[in-house]
Amino acid sequence: MLQTTVEMEKAAMILKLLGDKTRLTMVKILDKHDCCVCEFVEIFKVSQPSISQHLRKLRDVGLVEEERKGQWIFYSINKDNEYYPFVQQILDQLPSQDQKLKELEEKGTRIICC
Amino acid sequence: MLQTTVEMEKAAMILKLLGDKTRLTMVKILDKHDCCVCEFVEIFKVSQPSISQHLRKLRDVGLVEEERKGQWIFYSINKDNEYYPFVQQILDQLPSQDQKLKELEEKGTRIICC
DNA sequence: GCACTATATAAGCAATTAATTATATAATGA
DNA sequence: TCATTATATAATTAATTGCTTATATAGTGC
């Protein structure tokens, strides 16, 4: 197992960022699949601005990246981020959230773009 | 490596709890050494009630335990706690905080009790 | 250009947080 | 018993958080 070390202050900042059920689930999903904003809105049943604000916090520390594809903006995990190894260790202990995307597919609201 | 799984809601709760520099450092220290309240007051340079309140939050989820020894109350990590394996994986990625206790010893303010 | 969809940002608000000071409780030791 | 030390709890407060609604920006397709 690769062992990294994260400075205490930064570690606390990352844990605080992940210490929100919505953001934690977002990151867990993004670790396996790219997603666009409207899919998260569908999954979490909160307003679109609320989702955008959560994504912004994740983007501000560089943990996720955005990429426009037509009218959608897709978010993905930035595996090059300095905190990613730390975050990954945490995510590995969480249950898969694939079911949430599967439900979107069944409802026909999963965006498969380009 | 033992792989456990923590429910998303509970994981977010634990991460939020650890997402504070003082509490995170406390837990990191307690993972290796028992400590009493006054030592934390000395280490973190905040008021005694502030330390007590942080410890209470950690105790409320069962992550730490208290034990009175004379006039002091010593806190220790509860390794039997259901979240401990999850927490331990996080702590293992953080730098040792032994130096903080060493400084107390040098100043003569480390409590070696009983 | 215009209607529509997707997303971001701004503003406002209620709830939560982490600190403080003041006070209560409990053990120690003269 | 009383002063001292250690700790917990209560009350207060300023800052932060996560949500909402309103609005701005940007791409799509007619």
Side-chain angles (χ1 to χ4, degrees):
Chain A
M1 186 180 76
L2 185 66
Q3 198 56 56
T4 59
T5 287
V6 181
E7 204 192 302
M8 293 303 284
E9 193 136 0
K10 292 179 176 176
M13 181 269 290
I14 292 294
L15 294 174
K16 187 178 185 178
L17 189 69
L18 298 182
D20 173 277
K21 196 188 173 189
T22 302
R23 283 194 297 270
L24 184 63
T25 308
M26 279 177 161
V27 173
K28 177 71 184 180
I29 291 174
L30 289 174
D31 195 41
K32 290 279 176 287
H33 319 269
D34 294 359
C35 266
C36 76
V37 179
C38 59
E39 292 174 313
F40 283 132
V41 172
E42 182 87 9
I43 289 171
F44 293 110
K45 310 288 184 204
V46 293
S47 67
Q48 172 267 316
S50 180
I51 295 297
S52 274
Q53 285 156 18
H54 282 303
L55 286 168
R56 188 174 214 295
K57 289 185 183 188
L58 295 172
R59 212 183 46 197
D60 280 350
V61 305
L63 231 124
V64 307
E65 292 174 318
E66 54 170 310
E67 183 189 0
R68 182 175 279 279
K69 289 185 181 175
Q71 60 185 320
W72 297 286
I73 293 178
F74 276 71
Y75 280 82
S76 58
I77 278 275
N78 175 13
K79 304 208 177 205
D80 294 330
N81 182 264
E82 63 173 310
Y83 306 114
Y84 180 68
F86 180 59
V87 169
Q88 196 182 30
Q89 290 270 354
I90 295 169
L91 297 183
D92 284 351
Q93 302 185 71
L94 305 178
S96 165
Q97 299 298 301
D98 288 357
Q99 183 56 28
K100 293 203 164 57
L101 289 181
K102 224 165 244 150
E103 283 166 20
L104 291 196
E105 276 163 29
E106 283 159 15
K107 282 195 283 182
T109 52
R110 178 99 164 95
I111 309 291
I112 308 295
C113 165
C114 310
Chain B
M1 186 180 77
L2 185 65
Q3 197 58 56
T4 58
T5 287
V6 181
E7 204 192 301
M8 293 303 284
E9 193 137 0
K10 291 180 176 177
M13 180 270 288
I14 292 294
L15 294 174
K16 187 177 185 178
L17 189 70
L18 299 183
D20 173 277
K21 197 189 172 189
T22 302
R23 282 193 299 268
L24 184 63
T25 308
M26 279 176 161
V27 173
K28 177 72 185 179
I29 291 173
L30 289 174
D31 195 40
K32 291 279 175 287
H33 319 268
D34 294 359
C35 266
C36 77
V37 179
C38 59
E39 293 174 312
F40 284 132
V41 171
E42 180 88 8
I43 289 171
F44 294 110
K45 310 288 185 203
V46 293
S47 66
Q48 173 267 314
S50 180
I51 295 297
S52 274
Q53 284 156 19
H54 283 303
L55 286 168
R56 188 172 214 297
K57 289 185 182 188
L58 294 171
R59 212 184 44 195
D60 281 349
V61 305
L63 215 75
V64 307
E65 292 175 319
E66 53 169 312
E67 183 190 358
R68 181 176 281 276
K69 289 186 181 174
Q71 60 185 322
W72 298 288
I73 293 178
F74 276 71
Y75 280 83
S76 58
I77 279 276
N78 176 12
K79 303 209 179 207
D80 294 330
N81 182 262
E82 63 174 311
Y83 306 115
Y84 180 69
F86 180 58
V87 170
Q88 196 181 29
Q89 289 271 352
I90 294 169
L91 298 183
D92 283 351
Q93 302 186 70
L94 304 179
S96 165
Q97 299 298 302
D98 287 357
Q99 183 55 30
K100 293 202 165 57
L101 288 182
K102 224 165 247 153
E103 283 164 23
L104 291 196
E105 276 163 29
E106 283 160 15
K107 282 195 283 181
T109 52
R110 178 99 164 97
I111 310 291
I112 306 296
C113 167
C114 312

